[in-house]
Amino acid sequence: MKTVVISLGGSILIPELENNRIAAYLPVLQEIAAKHRLFVVVGGGGGARDYIAIARKLGIDEGTADEIGILVTRLNATLLIAALGEAAYPKVAESHSEAKKFGESRKIVVMGGITPGQTTDAVAAVLAERVQADVFVNVTSVNGIYDKDPKSHAGAKHHKTLTPRQLLSIVSQGGLGAGSHNVLDIIAARIVERSSIPLVVLDGTRPENLSAVLLRGKGDCSIVSSTKKKVLPL
């Protein structure tokens, strides 16, 4: 049994309340959890950005706006926990220490944001360190890491494998993009480098792709690793 930490973007899980992928992700997460210890960090997506935009228009300070965004991530996490039922620990972890403790139950542990100014990708990267994960997975809207935004650059190069240092180089140049949002932020990339935990970046718009890549080694993705040791399938 291995330990897996997944950063599941809010724009992937809940792009819109009435057009969400929660039901489609339930069997996928349960299949992974049946074989491995699983932690899921849920993002805020468009809902969080909408609330933050309103907060800014009202003249609310950035720190408070961030805290509002964190509440949205925890709301998304609560919805996922409720849908998972007995498969999940029944409370949203509000710190890395809580997540680690909840993980002792061997149920799926779900959390959202925890610190103003920090993305849920960074939260997930630190969590991967804290629980000594075997793999850190970033579920996003593209099939891996490119040198440029593949949605606006037809000739963007897809990286099947790369080192943490190469990842940092791409992130620092602002080339790691999906739309107007980076696939991974620079803080998370730095944590990937210092932890030496393999990172897998994949397209989560089709939920079944997550289990196919992780459990069967099938499907497109990018693997960031400091060694040549085989990462997938788990």
Side-chain angles (χ1 to χ4, degrees):
M1 176 177 284
K2 296 185 177 181
T3 299
V4 180
V5 173
I6 297 174
S7 179
L8 183 53
S11 59
I12 296 298
L13 185 65
I14 310 176
E16 298 174 3
L17 276 176
E18 294 184 0
N19 182 29
N20 66 77
R21 297 186 176 97
I22 293 176
Y25 262 104
L26 299 182
V28 173
L29 296 176
Q30 289 169 340
E31 181 183 8
I32 296 169
K35 299 179 180 180
H36 303 289
R37 186 180 178 208
L38 181 59
F39 296 82
V40 181
V41 180
V42 179
R49 287 189 288 273
D50 288 345
Y51 271 95
I52 289 171
I54 291 172
R56 286 171 177 160
K57 287 181 180 179
L58 292 172
I60 295 172
D61 65 273
E62 288 295 305
T64 301
D66 275 344
E67 289 179 349
I68 292 170
I70 287 171
L71 289 174
V72 178
T73 69
R74 292 178 178 175
L75 181 60
N76 290 345
T78 300
L79 193 57
L80 179 59
I81 287 172
L84 283 166
E86 290 298 317
Y89 191 85
K91 182 180 182 297
V92 175
E94 296 185 2
S95 69
H96 292 116
S97 296
E98 270 198 347
K100 190 173 181 179
K101 181 176 178 60
F102 294 170
E104 295 173 2
S105 68
R106 299 299 174 181
K107 291 179 178 288
I108 301 171
V109 176
V110 185
M111 67 186 297
I114 58 174
T115 305
Q118 188 177 61
T119 69
T120 47
D121 283 345
V123 170
V126 173
L127 179 61
E129 278 192 316
R130 293 290 303 275
V131 300
Q132 298 181 314
D134 294 281
V135 66
F136 168 37
V137 185
N138 191 33
V139 178
T140 184
S141 61
V142 291
N143 65 339
I145 298 167
Y146 287 79
D147 60 344
K148 300 176 182 178
D149 180 359
K151 294 183 178 179
S152 57
H153 296 83
K157 178 184 176 182
H158 178 268
H159 293 277
K160 185 71 176 176
T161 61
L162 64 166
T163 66
R165 187 167 294 277
Q166 288 173 317
L167 171 66
L168 266 173
S169 177
I170 294 172
V171 171
S172 63
Q173 293 170 14
L176 191 66
S180 60
H181 309 288
N182 284 341
V183 172
L184 194 77
D185 71 74
I186 194 165
I187 295 175
R190 285 173 176 159
I191 294 168
V192 167
E193 182 184 42
R194 81 180 185 190
S195 70
S196 296
I197 296 171
L199 166 69
V200 177
V201 178
L202 55 84
D203 181 359
T205 56
R206 292 188 303 108
E208 65 275 11
N209 192 45
L210 176 59
S211 53
V213 169
L214 295 186
L215 302 181
R216 291 174 280 282
K218 297 181 179 179
D220 290 336
C221 68
S222 291
I223 298 174
V224 181
S225 178
S226 56
T227 70
K228 294 184 178 180
K229 185 178 179 181
K230 186 176 181 181
V231 175
L232 301 174
L234 298 177

